[in-house]
Amino acid sequence: MACDEGLIGFAVTNSEAIMVPTFSRLAMLGSNPIAISMPAKPYPFFFDASTTVVTRGKLEVYNKNGKPLPEGWALDKNGKGSSDAADVLKNIVAKNGGGIMPLGGEFEQSGGHKGYGYGMICEIFSSILSMGITSNHTHIGGKGGTCHGFCAIDPKIFGDPCKIEEHLSTFLQELRDAPKAEGATRIYTHGEKEIIAYADRMENGIDVNVNTVIEMVDFCKFVGLDVEEYLGKLDLESAKNSSSYN
Amino acid sequence: MACDEGLIGFAVTNSEAIMVPTFSRLAMLGSNPIAISMPAKPYPFFFDASTTVVTRGKLEVYNKNGKPLPEGWALDKNGKGSSDAADVLKNIVAKNGGGIMPLGGEFEQSGGHKGYGYGMICEIFSSILSMGITSNHTHIGGKGGTCHGFCAIDPKIFGDPCKIEEHLSTFLQELRDAPKAEGATRIYTHGEKEIIAYADRMENGIDVNVNTVIEMVDFCKFVGLDVEEYLGKLDLESAKNSSSYN
């Protein structure tokens, strides 16, 4: 919204605790994403990323597909690396210990304390300044309690907004034009992949994991909706043989 | 300075290009640190970290000690992982390609595109808004050109600053008190290690790498200073047998 008005947008939110701080074995911070957008041509800079290595949703996808988690993503209840998505997800909900690593991984050598620091920045601008509930106290006893922070900055404070936008656009184009790594064919700027994906999904629809469709059908039954009235006849049995449902 | 006045401090700077964006083989962004401080008891939250896995200084230390770099830090001129500190440093200066990985590492699987994104945030608030020189254009033809950005935010805008400080202090204490990972004995909050190190250095002095002392002596000779007038008699020959000089 800020970007559409020619402003720099900044948004943060804390969440149920899933990030285990460096040297701990208990999730104390949320996935705590930080998002920043800024007008540019041909499309804006649009960065929106959790301060954990991956989000909880990614673990759920691995769990639904019955795949082991890659190394460097998650910790078991003792604070040791784990590839068992189902176990990690169960422990997060039960607050048994374990969770997802901060961006940078488990140890200081690869910069895990930095991801933990970015998670703290998110916490400051969501739960701390608002006197709200920090991630480690949300989602207890059936309550939510997550906090958000929003800010819009007018580039006009700093100079001519058109020139500033042009300056950013030039740098973004230089990044896309930079020499590629061996085996790589394209360098993306932040937000570019989402624009490509959006166009593709509008054209070709969205592939949905079969287990997610089954969940959606169950939810519809639970709230008394006739799902086939909206989506047409679903053939979930034969879909189970492929990995996704379009 | 902001923190001493009861404010939230924010500071960024770009630098000579050393960070290789995801899928590139050329350094396009600097180490691009983001620093945020906020008043708390018994000591402030004080986060100051490069958006690369490590800083260039760390590579220089490994180079001086003749040690191979850990996996996941640096890239050679083709954009492939490298453990050769001397080669990586030489390529950065010559702008031959290669450099240091963004926080999160080489690939998207471990979140390297996120470190690249944080580096971009730094660039926006240093070189872009000021219409200055982006990292990839600094330090060319004997010119510097790095840009900085500073901001101070008064917590009073959001509520009672004393209560907000207490709220942050409580959360920081909860983090320090959280259960430790197997084999870990202490969880740090950001800025705590620096306070401990400062007290230790004031008491016990600073260990300096012998090669750094030799460099300092050379610099002193270059500018016509008698180093022994300031530091007393230096016994560099016997110091070479130990790894550092106090």
Side-chain angles (χ1 to χ4, degrees), chain A residues 23-25 50-53 73 108-109 113-114 116 118 132 136-137 167 174 179-181 188 190 193, chain B residues 23-25 50-53 73 108-109 113-114 116 118 132 136-137 167 174 179-181 188 190 193:
Chain A
F23 303 134
S24 180
R25 62 178 166 80
S50 69
T51 52
T52 43
V53 176
W73 281 19
E108 289 179 311
Q109 180 175 293
H113 58 299
K114 298 184 186 184
Y116 160 34
Y118 289 116
N136 57 325
H137 294 297
H167 188 31
E174 286 174 349
K180 314 298 173 278
Y188 296 89
H190 299 82
K193 278 200 169 183
Chain B
F23 302 132
S24 180
R25 62 177 166 82
S50 69
T51 51
T52 44
V53 176
W73 281 18
E108 290 179 311
Q109 181 176 289
H113 57 299
K114 298 184 186 185
Y116 160 34
Y118 289 117
N136 56 325
H137 294 297
H167 188 31
E174 286 174 349
K180 314 296 174 278
Y188 297 88
H190 299 83
K193 278 200 169 182

Side-chain angles (χ1 to χ4, degrees), chain A residues 57-67 206-217 234 236 239-246:
Chain A
K58 210 88 156 188
L59 265 60
E60 282 163 5
V61 170
Y62 272 74
N63 187 32
K64 279 177 183 165
N65 290 329
K67 278 190 191 167
I206 303 177
D207 275 339
V208 181
N209 177 286
V210 178
N211 290 322
T212 302
V213 177
I214 293 171
E215 271 180 18
M216 288 163 74
V217 171
L234 294 172
L236 292 174
K240 276 180 188 164
N241 299 322
S242 74
S243 66
S244 65
Y245 202 99
N246 190 297

Side-chain angles (χ1 to χ4, degrees), chain A residues 144-162:
Chain A
T146 52
C147 302
H148 317 297
F150 302 99
C151 170
I153 302 167
D154 194 340
K156 230 186 290 175
I157 303 168
F158 299 92
D160 179 336
C162 295

Side-chain angles (χ1 to χ4, degrees), chain A residues 39-109:
Chain A
K41 300 247 161 10
Y43 24 73
F45 172 80
F46 208 110
F47 176 66
D48 176 4
S50 69
T51 52
T52 43
V53 176
V54 288
T55 57
R56 180 176 178 159
K58 210 88 156 188
L59 265 60
E60 282 163 5
V61 170
Y62 272 74
N63 187 32
K64 279 177 183 165
N65 290 329
K67 278 190 191 167
L69 299 174
E71 209 181 316
W73 281 19
L75 298 163
D76 70 13
K77 63 181 165 49
N78 299 316
K80 295 275 168 194
S82 170
S83 62
D84 185 341
D87 184 61
V88 172
L89 287 166
K90 192 192 69 194
N91 287 332
I92 288 171
V93 175
K95 300 189 187 293
N96 277 343
I100 305 179
M101 296 180 197
L103 177 64
E106 189 173 355
F107 301 110
E108 289 179 311
Q109 180 175 293

Side-chain angles (χ1 to χ4, degrees), chain A residues 173-221:
Chain A
Q173 194 55 46
E174 286 174 349
L175 287 163
R176 290 186 283 258
D177 291 342
K180 314 298 173 278
E182 230 176 84
T185 54
R186 183 169 182 170
I187 297 162
Y188 296 89
T189 58
H190 299 82
E192 203 180 348
K193 278 200 169 183
E194 287 71 16
I195 285 168
I196 297 166
Y198 182 84
D200 173 73
R201 305 285 157 84
M202 293 303 283
E203 180 78 21
N204 304 312
I206 303 177
D207 275 339
V208 181
N209 177 286
V210 178
N211 290 322
T212 302
V213 177
I214 293 171
E215 271 180 18
M216 288 163 74
V217 171
D218 281 346
F219 278 130
C220 286
K221 276 184 196 155

